[in-house]
PDB file of all heavy atoms in Angstrom:
ATOM      1  N   ARG B  91     113.009  98.529  34.297  1.00 85.00           N
ATOM      2  CA  ARG B  91     114.024  99.147  35.143  1.00 85.00           C
ATOM      3  C   ARG B  91     113.435 100.122  36.133  1.00 85.00           C
ATOM      4  O   ARG B  91     114.112 100.628  37.023  1.00 85.00           O
ATOM      5  CB  ARG B  91     115.056  99.880  34.271  1.00 85.00           C
ATOM      6  CG  ARG B  91     116.060  98.922  33.693  1.00 85.00           C
ATOM      7  CD  ARG B  91     117.267  99.559  33.055  1.00 85.00           C
ATOM      8  NE  ARG B  91     117.295 100.985  32.930  1.00 85.00           N
ATOM      9  CZ  ARG B  91     117.707 101.624  31.839  1.00 85.00           C
ATOM     10  NH1 ARG B  91     118.079 100.931  30.784  1.00 85.00           N
ATOM     11  NH2 ARG B  91     117.750 102.923  31.801  1.00 85.00           N
ATOM     12  N   GLY B  92     112.165 100.422  35.995  1.00 83.00           N
ATOM     13  CA  GLY B  92     111.504 101.326  36.920  1.00 83.00           C
ATOM     14  C   GLY B  92     111.676 102.777  36.553  1.00 83.00           C
ATOM     15  O   GLY B  92     111.357 103.664  37.352  1.00 83.00           O
ATOM     16  N   ASP B  93     112.185 103.062  35.369  1.00 87.00           N
ATOM     17  CA  ASP B  93     112.360 104.454  34.977  1.00 87.00           C
ATOM     18  C   ASP B  93     111.037 105.099  34.590  1.00 87.00           C
ATOM     19  O   ASP B  93     110.833 106.293  34.779  1.00 87.00           O
ATOM     20  CB  ASP B  93     113.329 104.552  33.789  1.00 87.00           C
ATOM     21  CG  ASP B  93     114.747 104.178  34.187  1.00 87.00           C
ATOM     22  OD1 ASP B  93     115.049 104.319  35.391  1.00 87.00           O
ATOM     23  OD2 ASP B  93     115.527 103.766  33.315  1.00 87.00           O
ATOM     24  N   ILE B  94     110.158 104.299  34.025  1.00 88.00           N
ATOM     25  CA  ILE B  94     108.871 104.846  33.595  1.00 88.00           C
ATOM     26  C   ILE B  94     107.748 103.979  34.142  1.00 88.00           C
ATOM     27  O   ILE B  94     107.975 102.843  34.587  1.00 88.00           O
ATOM     28  CB  ILE B  94     108.756 104.893  32.051  1.00 88.00           C
ATOM     29  CG1 ILE B  94     108.963 103.477  31.486  1.00 88.00           C
ATOM     30  CG2 ILE B  94     109.766 105.857  31.463  1.00 88.00           C
ATOM     31  CD1 ILE B  94     108.571 103.364  30.039  1.00 88.00           C
ATOM     32  N   ASP B  95     106.546 104.542  34.141  1.00 88.00           N
ATOM     33  CA  ASP B  95     105.382 103.782  34.590  1.00 88.00           C
ATOM     34  C   ASP B  95     104.356 103.588  33.478  1.00 88.00           C
ATOM     35  O   ASP B  95     103.426 102.806  33.622  1.00 88.00           O
ATOM     36  CB  ASP B  95     104.721 104.487  35.768  1.00 88.00           C
ATOM     37  CG  ASP B  95     105.551 104.340  37.027  1.00 88.00           C
ATOM     38  OD1 ASP B  95     105.932 103.198  37.341  1.00 88.00           O
ATOM     39  OD2 ASP B  95     105.837 105.367  37.674  1.00 88.00           O
ATOM     40  N   PHE B  96     104.511 104.334  32.393  1.00 89.00           N
ATOM     41  CA  PHE B  96     103.504 104.249  31.328  1.00 89.00           C
ATOM     42  C   PHE B  96     104.190 104.179  29.961  1.00 89.00           C
ATOM     43  O   PHE B  96     105.180 104.859  29.721  1.00 89.00           O
ATOM     44  CB  PHE B  96     102.585 105.471  31.354  1.00 89.00           C
ATOM     45  CG  PHE B  96     101.778 105.539  32.607  1.00 89.00           C
ATOM     46  CD1 PHE B  96     102.271 106.214  33.714  1.00 89.00           C
ATOM     47  CD2 PHE B  96     100.550 104.901  32.697  1.00 89.00           C
ATOM     48  CE1 PHE B  96     101.546 106.251  34.888  1.00 89.00           C
ATOM     49  CE2 PHE B  96      99.822 104.939  33.870  1.00 89.00           C
ATOM     50  CZ  PHE B  96     100.317 105.615  34.967  1.00 89.00           C
ATOM     51  N   ILE B  97     103.626 103.331  29.114  1.00 90.00           N
ATOM     52  CA  ILE B  97     104.086 103.285  27.726  1.00 90.00           C
ATOM     53  C   ILE B  97     102.889 103.640  26.847  1.00 90.00           C
ATOM     54  O   ILE B  97     101.822 103.030  26.961  1.00 90.00           O
ATOM     55  CB  ILE B  97     104.593 101.886  27.328  1.00 90.00           C
ATOM     56  CG1 ILE B  97     105.728 101.447  28.270  1.00 90.00           C
ATOM     57  CG2 ILE B  97     105.045 101.867  25.877  1.00 90.00           C
ATOM     58  CD1 ILE B  97     106.143 100.007  28.064  1.00 90.00           C
ATOM     59  N   ILE B  98     103.054 104.639  26.023  1.00 89.00           N
ATOM     60  CA  ILE B  98     101.974 105.027  25.110  1.00 89.00           C
ATOM     61  C   ILE B  98     102.420 104.647  23.699  1.00 89.00           C
ATOM     62  O   ILE B  98     103.466 105.094  23.234  1.00 89.00           O
ATOM     63  CB  ILE B  98     101.679 106.535  25.195  1.00 89.00           C
ATOM     64  CG1 ILE B  98     101.068 106.850  26.565  1.00 89.00           C
ATOM     65  CG2 ILE B  98     100.676 106.959  24.123  1.00 89.00           C
ATOM     66  CD1 ILE B  98     102.007 107.406  27.510  1.00 89.00           C
ATOM     67  N   THR B  99     101.654 103.795  23.074  1.00 89.00           N
ATOM     68  CA  THR B  99     102.013 103.355  21.731  1.00 89.00           C
ATOM     69  C   THR B  99     101.036 103.954  20.721  1.00 89.00           C
ATOM     70  O   THR B  99      99.813 103.783  20.849  1.00 89.00           O
ATOM     71  CB  THR B  99     101.958 101.822  21.633  1.00 89.00           C
ATOM     72  OG1 THR B  99     102.607 101.280  22.780  1.00 89.00           O
ATOM     73  CG2 THR B  99     102.633 101.327  20.372  1.00 89.00           C
ATOM     74  N   ILE B 100     101.585 104.685  19.755  1.00 87.00           N
ATOM     75  CA  ILE B 100     100.768 105.269  18.701  1.00 87.00           C
ATOM     76  C   ILE B 100     101.007 104.448  17.434  1.00 87.00           C
ATOM     77  O   ILE B 100     102.156 104.368  16.955  1.00 87.00           O
ATOM     78  CB  ILE B 100     101.133 106.745  18.472  1.00 87.00           C
ATOM     79  CG1 ILE B 100     101.000 107.529  19.803  1.00 87.00           C
ATOM     80  CG2 ILE B 100     100.225 107.360  17.406  1.00 87.00           C
ATOM     81  CD1 ILE B 100     101.479 108.952  19.727  1.00 87.00           C
ATOM     82  N   ASN B 101      99.957 103.831  16.905  1.00 84.00           N
ATOM     83  CA  ASN B 101     100.102 102.945  15.736  1.00 84.00           C
ATOM     84  C   ASN B 101     100.558 103.702  14.493  1.00 84.00           C
ATOM     85  O   ASN B 101     100.360 104.919  14.379  1.00 84.00           O
ATOM     86  CB  ASN B 101      98.774 102.262  15.439  1.00 84.00           C
ATOM     87  CG  ASN B 101      98.467 101.216  16.496  1.00 84.00           C
ATOM     88  OD1 ASN B 101      99.340 100.859  17.294  1.00 84.00           O
ATOM     89  ND2 ASN B 101      97.235 100.748  16.517  1.00 84.00           N
ATOM     90  N   ASP B 102     101.130 102.945  13.541  1.00 84.00           N
ATOM     91  CA  ASP B 102     101.689 103.622  12.358  1.00 84.00           C
ATOM     92  C   ASP B 102     100.607 104.167  11.420  1.00 84.00           C
ATOM     93  O   ASP B 102     100.878 104.961  10.537  1.00 84.00           O
ATOM     94  CB  ASP B 102     102.669 102.715  11.610  1.00 84.00           C
ATOM     95  CG  ASP B 102     102.034 101.397  11.236  1.00 84.00           C
ATOM     96  OD1 ASP B 102     100.799 101.260  11.464  1.00 84.00           O
ATOM     97  OD2 ASP B 102     102.742 100.514  10.735  1.00 84.00           O
TER      98      ASP B 102
END
Side-chain angles (χ1 to χ4, degrees):
Chain B
R91 280 192 354 223
D93 292 335
I94 57 167
D95 287 310
F96 296 90
I97 303 172
I98 292 100
T99 314
I100 304 174
N101 288 348
D102 55 6

